Amino acid sequence: MSAAVWFWLAADALPVLGASLLDADRLRALSRRRLSRLLGTAARTTFYQGRLLEAGVTTSSLLLQRDPAAVLAGLAPVTKAELREAGPALFVGGRQRRGWLSSSSSGSTGEPFRVYYDARAWATLKVLVKLRARRRCGLEVGHRVALLDAVPPVDASPDGGPAGRVARISVLQPAEVVAAQLVAFAPHAVYGLPSALREAGAILQDGGARFRVPLVFTSGELLHPGARAAISRAFQGRVFDIYGSSETKEIGWECPAGGMHVNADVLMVEIVDDDGQSLPDGAEGHIVVTSLVNHATPLLRYRTGDRGSLLPGRCECGLAFPLLGVVTGREADMLELQGGRRVSPYALTCALERVGQVLRYQITQLDPARVRVRAIAHPDADRAAMAERIRTVLRTDVAPFLEAEIEYVDRLANGPRAKFRVVEPLGPGARR
């Protein structure tokens, strides 16, 4: 890390770590101040100048300071495609600055996008916010942590690296190798995609390894109930899910009481309808995020491409951070069925989770009334009975006309960066 990042890590450590102790009123006040400052930065970029004018707000308007929430609500949500097309128009002065850091999305949606961060934002979002959340879950400085990452094996450090406390293990290796490296490293915590953790865990269980990891952190894919239970059994530890994106970093994290908390001091989360209008708590819609502390690439009402909800009330743990409901999948993963009916991938996975002795599965839409289910069955399963059960729950829980082809396999394929898509809908052209 650069000297500037180290400086901001030291300077902002106490404020960021202490933000979890703020009450709701002080949290909202902090968010409002940061939003006002962010709007001031955005108003100096060519891209957001145009969007503010479309909303009837001039760059010199006092509303930017007096009522930043109203200004934000008047802006249309922005998509990844629009940001990619904007290019340098997203930056103040139309150019990148020396010392900025960046990260790129995986491009799993076909739209890879690089976001730039100033040193202070990087220190906060990449390190301090994550440290704050992991500490609440029981992770301590000095614990050994294994990171399952989609890097070439030659770039990994399965032995723990020079410090011996963090091991980067490549998930592009066979699951047997990943499992063996985990056992050799013996971490207190492991972090990875649910699919990678589930595969490595299955190897550990089949081999009868006496192996326990107290803390397991999942991210990057939807964590379905069956996957959570399987991972918890395999590692004999507590599973905590994390929701975020390459563009915004960590959005929400699961606490020991089970609540998925939004990091409301560093970003704002809204749930909106198809027209970009905010929906009330409890209603499912499109997730849009405003990153409050990154002034290098301002993100105002950024559409993550995911669907979910915000929950009313507060978590039993006492934190004032808002609660994010179940994230039901990416907009691109929505299935359009016969008659124009749109179905969340979560509806299909919830149905399949009710079928016993299915170790893993993948659902591919073949046409508006038909899907293919690839399943890894338990060795003792009655495959014919299982197939009939799958067809029944899909017709009962999803759509009465939905037909299913069942295919039993030994392994399921992953996508870019080793991510696994549980539900694969028809492509846009095939829906017509």
Side-chain angles (χ1 to χ4, degrees):
M1 290 188 291
S2 67
V5 172
W6 280 111
F7 171 82
W8 286 115
L9 283 173
D12 286 341
L14 288 179
V16 175
L17 298 180
S20 61
L21 303 177
L22 298 177
D23 60 30
D25 290 338
R26 294 169 68 191
L27 192 59
R28 281 192 291 268
L30 175 61
S31 174
R32 182 186 182 282
R33 291 194 301 271
R34 287 180 167 172
L35 175 59
S36 178
R37 182 167 175 260
L38 178 71
L39 286 170
T41 297
R44 295 159 55 203
T45 70
T46 303
F47 177 77
Y48 281 110
Q49 282 178 9
R51 295 185 82 85
L52 286 166
L53 289 174
E54 288 175 4
V57 179
T58 63
T59 57
S60 61
S61 174
L62 293 178
L63 280 176
L64 296 176
Q65 289 77 39
R66 291 180 176 175
D67 198 352
V71 174
L72 184 68
L75 296 177
V78 63
T79 65
K80 184 185 295 187
E82 289 174 308
L83 294 176
R84 290 175 66 235
E85 185 177 347
L90 284 172
F91 309 137
V92 175
R95 63 184 180 86
Q96 300 171 26
R97 299 293 193 274
R98 180 183 299 178
W100 281 0
L101 299 102
S102 69
S103 65
S104 177
S105 60
S106 66
S108 58
T109 62
E111 295 180 304
F113 175 57
R114 183 167 295 278
V115 172
Y116 292 87
Y117 302 83
D118 56 81
R120 188 174 193 179
W122 187 266
T124 295
L125 299 173
K126 188 70 174 177
V127 181
L128 295 177
V129 166
K130 294 181 179 181
L131 176 62
R132 178 178 70 192
R134 301 300 90 79
R135 286 181 62 190
R136 297 283 300 197
C137 297
L139 187 63
E140 299 177 3
V141 175
H143 278 166
R144 294 163 65 82
V145 180
L147 307 175
L148 304 191
D149 205 352
V151 296
V154 293
D155 294 335
S157 56
D159 58 351
R165 291 194 300 271
V166 178
R168 199 178 188 197
I169 297 174
S170 172
V171 295
L172 303 182
Q173 306 172 106
E176 293 82 359
V177 176
V178 174
Q181 291 179 351
L182 281 171
V183 171
F185 182 60
H188 186 90
V190 62
Y191 188 117
L193 297 167
S195 56
L197 289 164
R198 192 168 185 177
E199 284 195 1
I203 298 297
L204 293 169
Q205 282 192 305
D206 291 345
R210 297 178 61 84
F211 180 67
R212 179 172 184 265
V213 180
L215 303 174
V216 182
F217 299 101
T218 62
S219 67
E221 298 169 349
L222 289 180
L223 178 63
H224 303 285
R228 179 191 286 270
I231 293 168
S232 181
R233 285 193 305 268
F235 290 93
Q236 302 179 58
R238 175 70 188 272
V239 177
F240 296 93
D241 196 27
I242 300 164
Y243 171 59
S245 72
S246 298
E247 298 85 8
T248 62
K249 300 308 175 192
E250 197 162 297
I251 296 171
W253 54 279
E254 185 179 355
C255 77
M260 176 68 78
H261 292 278
V262 174
N263 289 311
D265 59 323
V266 296
L267 52 83
M268 293 179 61
V269 170
E270 299 173 80
I271 307 299
V272 303
D273 60 19
D274 292 342
D275 297 322
Q277 300 300 309
S278 291
L279 294 172
D281 289 350
E284 181 183 310
H286 309 289
I287 299 176
V288 298
V289 177
T290 298
S291 182
L292 297 173
V293 297
N294 183 18
H295 291 257
T297 304
L299 295 180
L300 301 176
R301 305 196 87 199
Y302 172 65
R303 290 185 69 145
T304 65
D306 294 328
R307 293 180 61 84
S309 62
L310 288 171
L311 301 181
R314 288 177 60 173
C315 181
E316 293 178 1
C317 74
L319 288 178
F321 289 146
L323 294 173
L324 188 65
V326 173
V327 177
T328 59
R330 299 193 63 81
E331 295 173 41
D333 288 341
M334 295 291 288
L335 276 71
E336 187 169 321
L337 301 183
Q338 185 175 289
R341 178 178 176 181
R342 287 172 60 81
V343 175
S344 163
Y346 197 68
L348 285 88
T349 59
C350 284
L352 265 292
E353 298 291 354
R354 299 204 294 113
V355 179
Q357 296 189 303
V358 179
L359 300 180
R360 288 189 70 201
Y361 59 88
Q362 187 173 47
I363 305 169
T364 302
Q365 186 179 11
L366 302 176
D367 60 45
R370 193 164 49 103
V371 297
R372 176 187 295 120
V373 178
R374 293 185 175 91
I376 300 176
H378 189 279
D380 299 331
D382 181 333
R383 295 192 172 192
M386 180 186 291
E388 188 54 37
R389 175 67 172 156
I390 291 172
R391 295 187 181 98
T392 298
V393 297
L394 289 176
R395 287 194 296 264
T396 302
D397 296 0
V398 181
F401 55 79
L402 192 60
E403 298 294 332
E405 298 179 4
I406 315 301
E407 179 183 341
Y408 292 106
V409 297
D410 296 322
R411 188 176 179 83
L412 298 169
N414 291 330
R417 290 193 182 177
K419 288 190 176 183
F420 176 72
R421 295 186 73 187
V422 177
V423 178
E424 297 180 313
L426 285 173
R431 293 174 185 168
R432 299 188 181 94

